[in-house]
Amino acid sequence: MISAALKRIPPSFWIVLSVALAVRFWLWFSYPIFEGNDSDTYIHLANSLKNNLGFSRYNGTRTPGYPFFLVLTGAGSGTYLAQLVLGILTTLAIYWIGLRLTRSEGLALTGAYLHTLNLQQLLAEAAMLSEALSAFLFFVLIALTLLITETSSSQPAGNRTYFVILGFIAILSVLLASVRPLFLPLPFCIAGVIFFLANETLAKRTRTVIVLVVPMMIAVAGWGFYIYSQFNVIGLDSMGGYHKVNHVSAIFEKAPDEYQEIRDIFLKYRHIRISTTGTPINTIWDAIPELMKATKLNYYSLGRTMGEISDTLIRENPSLYWQNVVVGWIWFWKGGVVWQPSAINDPIIRTLAIFILSVERVGVVIGNFLFLVSTLMATWKQFILKKANYPTNVWVFISFLWLISILQTFAEHGDNPRFLAPAQSLVFITLIVLYSWRNNQQRTETRR
């Protein structure tokens, strides 16, 4: 039975697996795990969970998904190895998704290679950051979504398999949101597309929406209540208004005089930040210790105060805020990379990696631009001209990517290029599917 099953596996699968293993084998021996700007926070929270056997001293600065992962994997070489394994599984999931959607081994191989040979993705697996885990969970959810839409169209209403898979999607969506809150809208996008586009009874579509969105709503409400009850902050973490400060860092000298002490300290650190990096973005994280000392406010009270100042500056300078919103949306598509070149000891390999990364990043930006243009055209053709009928799954991909690109720019202004990274390969998958669909349509029209 096992040998028969192996014979049914396409040869291209083994090619994808071999390449995915080879590049990660090289990474393991050539590039040590490194800590990014956010890693200390994750490690601290992981230690809090482990040492206190729960949330008794959890400071809420991050959602708990990735800290739990660090506890399970040891926050070191074990984490590195686990993330490399997840990277391999993510590559195979992308291959399966491509094969399922296009029925073409060549296009499925292309999608898998665009993920596993993209240094933006590969190097993230060597970082003690949430990107690799997020990408794995995300593409498992995308694969399950394919099964849902296929089961939905081929099975009778009330099919047990359909709702079992739906339940897995709902649970994994909550888990993914606990790792990366930006992915919270995914079950809502799946539910919306199925409700409005699936060829099912109203009763089944309604049950689908309930099963998908209710667990997420309960989880968000529960976690939000925990954050508010513990830290008097409304949101999914305890950092309060710190998120907003990057939107107004460039004009912080306009802060009201009642906050003169805070303003003067912030401007001092802003000057240092600009002199070293050329930008005022992320000044707040350097200034927090002195601000807490000077104001006698704790971390959470200071966060609320910084939020109040930011809200005031945004109200008084709306044009600058909306300019930042637009710029942050553009940055989202820039293909940000988190890595540490100095960790590669061989200068030749390091130079080669820098060159490849530069070339690939140009390709990523071009791909993202093509995605924006192609999806706008697809939307126009199907919903305005009524001359197309793209697969239901494509609208899950398109709606989700467009939605998070908009939401993230309101939430943050600074690290926006990083936010797409876990879902970057979905951009390429969408382009491949649109290309495959157009070719199939052209062949169909030619036969006529």
Side-chain angles (χ1 to χ4, degrees):
M1 180 180 291
I2 295 177
S3 60
L6 291 174
K7 289 178 181 179
R8 290 196 296 270
I9 297 175
S12 55
F13 170 88
W14 303 111
I15 298 173
V16 168
L17 179 59
S18 299
V19 173
L21 285 168
V23 294
R24 286 164 181 82
F25 184 84
W26 166 80
L27 194 67
W28 173 263
F29 288 103
S30 304
Y31 186 76
I33 191 169
F34 77 97
E35 297 180 11
N37 293 334
D38 300 334
S39 298
D40 285 344
T41 305
Y42 287 124
I43 294 170
H44 174 79
L45 292 174
N47 289 332
S48 175
L49 289 170
K50 182 173 62 176
N51 296 334
N52 298 291
L53 300 178
F55 290 93
S56 61
R57 302 190 66 180
Y58 197 82
N59 67 23
T61 52
R62 303 282 176 183
T63 48
Y66 193 66
F68 265 119
F69 179 74
L70 292 181
V71 172
L72 293 174
T73 58
S77 58
T79 298
Y80 192 4
L81 182 60
Q83 291 184 169
L84 293 177
V85 172
L86 292 182
I88 294 170
L89 296 176
T90 303
T91 300
L92 296 179
I94 290 171
Y95 167 82
W96 184 87
I97 292 166
L99 191 61
R100 199 89 173 189
L101 287 172
T102 67
R103 307 299 176 184
S104 165
E105 288 189 55
L107 292 177
L109 274 171
T110 300
Y113 286 154
L114 287 172
H115 177 82
T116 208
L117 297 180
N118 181 358
L119 290 184
Q120 177 202 45
Q121 303 296 323
L122 186 64
L123 295 172
E125 295 170 20
M128 205 171 291
L129 297 168
S130 64
E131 274 82 348
L133 178 59
S134 300
F136 168 72
L137 292 172
F138 178 68
F139 283 102
V140 169
L141 282 167
I142 293 299
L144 290 175
T145 302
L146 299 193
L147 292 179
I148 277 293
T149 54
E150 292 174 3
T151 304
S152 175
S153 62
S154 62
Q155 300 293 336
N159 180 269
R160 181 178 298 178
T161 302
Y162 175 81
F163 284 101
V164 168
I165 299 173
L166 208 62
F168 275 115
I169 292 177
I171 294 169
L172 286 177
S173 295
V174 171
L175 183 58
L176 175 57
S178 77
V179 176
R180 198 87 164 193
L182 183 61
F183 288 79
L184 188 155
L186 181 58
F188 296 91
C189 290
I190 299 171
V193 169
I194 290 177
F195 186 82
F196 289 108
L197 297 181
N199 185 23
E200 295 292 344
T201 64
L202 177 61
K204 185 172 182 179
R205 286 182 284 136
T206 302
R207 290 198 299 271
T208 295
V209 171
I210 292 172
V211 172
L212 280 176
V213 306
V214 168
M216 182 63 78
M217 293 173 67
I218 293 173
V220 169
W223 183 252
F225 176 77
Y226 167 78
I227 292 295
Y228 182 77
S229 63
Q230 295 294 315
F231 312 108
N232 195 28
V233 174
I234 297 175
L236 295 178
D237 60 48
S238 62
M239 291 194 284
Y242 295 126
H243 293 297
K244 301 177 184 178
V245 177
N246 276 337
H247 276 292
V248 298
S249 294
I251 56 168
F252 209 83
E253 61 272 10
K254 296 183 179 181
D257 289 339
E258 62 185 287
Y259 300 110
Q260 180 180 350
E261 185 178 36
I262 292 176
R263 182 181 63 200
D264 292 344
I265 293 172
F266 186 90
L267 292 178
K268 179 180 72 173
Y269 281 93
R270 190 182 73 176
H271 175 73
I272 297 171
R273 188 79 182 179
I274 292 174
S275 64
T276 56
T277 68
T279 175
I281 290 172
N282 289 328
T283 295
I284 182 60
W285 309 117
D286 301 327
I288 286 175
E290 186 171 344
L291 287 171
M292 289 175 59
K293 183 178 180 181
T295 61
K296 303 297 190 292
L297 296 173
N298 65 26
Y299 183 87
Y300 313 107
S301 298
L302 178 62
R304 290 192 294 273
T305 301
M306 297 306 293
E308 293 169 3
I309 298 172
S310 300
D311 288 339
T312 299
L313 290 172
I314 288 170
R315 283 195 304 269
E316 294 176 351
N317 303 272
S319 60
L320 176 70
Y321 171 72
W322 285 105
Q323 176 184 319
N324 284 343
V325 167
V326 173
V327 170
W329 182 81
I330 295 172
W331 284 351
F332 177 79
W333 304 102
K334 284 176 60 177
V337 181
V338 179
W339 77 306
Q340 202 169 44
S342 60
I344 302 178
N345 294 323
D346 190 314
I348 297 176
I349 296 178
R350 182 168 61 247
T351 302
L352 181 61
I354 293 172
F355 173 75
I356 293 173
L357 197 54
S358 300
V359 173
E360 287 185 340
R361 191 169 185 184
V362 172
V364 166
V365 172
I366 292 173
N368 290 342
F369 175 75
L370 291 175
F371 169 85
L372 295 174
V373 174
S374 300
T375 53
L376 288 174
M377 292 176 60
T379 302
W380 179 264
K381 285 182 180 179
Q382 178 154 334
F383 298 106
I384 305 300
L385 299 180
K386 308 292 185 181
K387 292 184 177 180
N389 187 24
Y390 294 99
T392 302
N393 296 289
V394 169
W395 297 111
V396 174
F397 306 165
I398 293 173
S399 62
F400 174 74
L401 290 170
W402 271 94
L403 182 59
I404 64 168
S405 76
I406 295 169
L407 293 178
Q408 60 84 35
T409 193
F410 287 98
E412 180 62 82
H413 185 73
D415 290 333
N416 309 74
R418 272 186 59 193
F419 296 151
L420 177 59
Q424 176 63 65
S425 295
L426 187 64
V427 170
F428 300 135
I429 291 173
T430 304
L431 289 172
I432 288 170
V433 173
L434 292 176
Y435 167 80
S436 174
W437 184 90
R438 188 185 65 181
N439 279 358
N440 290 337
Q441 288 296 107
Q442 290 175 346
R443 282 196 293 269
T444 301
E445 291 173 2
T446 301
R447 292 193 193 102
R448 290 176 184 171

